[in-house]
Amino acid sequence: FLLAQPTLTFRPTNGATNVSTTNNLTITSDERLRTTAGTNVDNTNVEPLITLVDESMTNVPFTATINGPGTVITIDPGALAELTTYTLTLQRVEGNGGQETGPTVITFTTEDATDPAFTASRAISNTGSAFTFLANVNEDATIYYVVDQASATPNEADIRAGRINGTTAAEADGSFSAMAGVDALEAISGLDFTPAVKFYIHYFAEDASGNDNLPATRGIPLLNSSAVPLASVTPAGIDLRVNVD
C-alpha cells in the first residue's frame, strides 16, 4: 500500500490578510520531515528548502529553524512591510516513509499597522451657534470628536462615547469620514458663543484597520474673531491653545 505524504499546515494560512508584520511564520508537519535525499531536515539544511518573496518577486531575507522532532519549521523574516503580499514556498520534502510532497506555495498579505496622521485641523466659520471643523488626514479615516468648554483632552473612549471626563456628556459630539489628503468639513451646531464663551474640540482619527492616533485638542475662535488656530494638532498632555479675546 502507498504511504500518505506528510500533511503540512502553514501559519499564516494561504490567502490570509491582515497578517502581523512582526510574527514568525511556521510550517508544521504531522511527521518528521526529510529532504528528498533521505536526510533528516535540521537546522543545517532547512533554509535552502524555503523561499520568501514579496509582490515584486524580490527575495526577503529570513532565518529558519526546525524543532528537535523535525516537525515544526519556524521562519523569522524580521519586520515585514505593511500592506504587502508575500509568497512563501517550501520545496519538496518527504516523510518517514519516503513519500514526497510537491513544492507547497502559499500567499498572504500583511496588515496596516500605522496610525493615521492629521495634516491640517482647525475650526472655522463661527456663526454664534455653530462652526465648521476642517480636517485633513493622510489616509482614509473616521474622525471622532467632542466639543465642550472644558479644555482638558479626554481619552479616546470618552470621545467615542460623547463624554469629556468619563461621566459628563460633551456639549456636542459626533464622527465623520475623511478621504486621504482631502479637506473634510463637519458642521457642528447647537452651541452658544454669544457670551464670549470659549469652546474646544477634542478629536482623533481611526483608519479602516482600527489604527488610531492620540486624541488632540483645538481651541475654537470666538464669535466675530478673525484669528484662526494654525493647522497643527495638539497631542494630549501638551497645551498649545490659541487664546482669542
Side-chain angles (χ1 to χ4, degrees):
F1 61 93
L2 294 176
L3 296 175
Q5 298 174 347
T7 299
L8 302 174
T9 303
F10 285 73
R11 292 288 183 273
T13 57
N14 187 34
T17 58
N18 294 319
V19 173
S20 169
T21 58
T22 57
N23 288 351
N24 290 338
L25 319 174
T26 62
I27 305 170
T28 302
S29 171
D30 62 346
E31 57 182 292
R32 174 178 283 280
L33 294 176
R34 303 192 304 185
T35 69
T36 55
T39 303
N40 285 342
V41 176
D42 58 27
N43 288 335
T44 67
N45 59 17
V46 64
E47 285 189 10
L49 298 173
I50 299 163
T51 57
L52 179 64
V53 297
D54 62 19
E55 52 201 20
S56 64
M57 302 307 293
T58 300
N59 284 311
V60 176
F62 63 86
T63 59
T65 57
I66 191 166
N67 65 348
T71 56
V72 180
I73 298 172
T74 300
I75 302 155
D76 181 1
L80 297 173
E82 296 181 23
L83 297 173
T84 301
T85 298
Y86 290 91
T87 301
L88 173 64
T89 303
L90 177 65
Q91 303 301 329
R92 294 178 182 273
V93 290
E94 63 180 41
N96 286 325
Q99 292 300 107
E100 289 186 10
T101 67
T104 308
V105 182
I106 70 159
T107 62
F108 62 91
T109 303
T110 50
E111 64 186 345
D112 171 9
T114 300
D115 295 343
F118 284 92
T119 56
S121 59
R122 59 183 180 270
I124 60 176
S125 304
N126 186 339
T127 66
S129 61
F131 71 97
T132 297
F133 183 48
L134 180 152
N136 193 305
V137 191
N138 67 340
E139 61 175 306
D140 291 354
T142 300
I143 299 170
Y144 296 85
Y145 66 87
V146 293
V147 178
D148 201 82
Q149 296 178 47
S151 61
T153 305
N155 60 37
E156 179 187 307
D158 279 346
I159 293 175
R160 287 183 189 274
R163 302 185 300 252
I164 57 170
N165 60 7
T167 57
T168 304
E171 297 192 42
D173 67 275
S175 63
F176 59 100
S177 298
M179 295 177 60
V182 178
D183 287 348
L185 301 174
E186 173 79 347
I188 302 171
S189 59
L191 305 167
D192 185 3
F193 290 85
T194 54
V197 172
K198 182 74 173 183
F199 283 93
Y200 300 87
I201 184 166
H202 313 285
Y203 57 96
F204 69 92
E206 181 177 78
D207 66 20
S209 297
N211 304 305
D212 43 51
N213 56 9
L214 290 174
T217 292
R218 170 69 65 203
I220 301 167
L222 297 179
L223 181 63
N224 297 324
S225 171
S226 60
V228 176
L230 296 177
S232 60
V233 297
T234 305
I238 301 176
D239 187 353
L240 297 178
R241 299 189 300 274
V242 175
N243 292 320
V244 182
D245 297 326

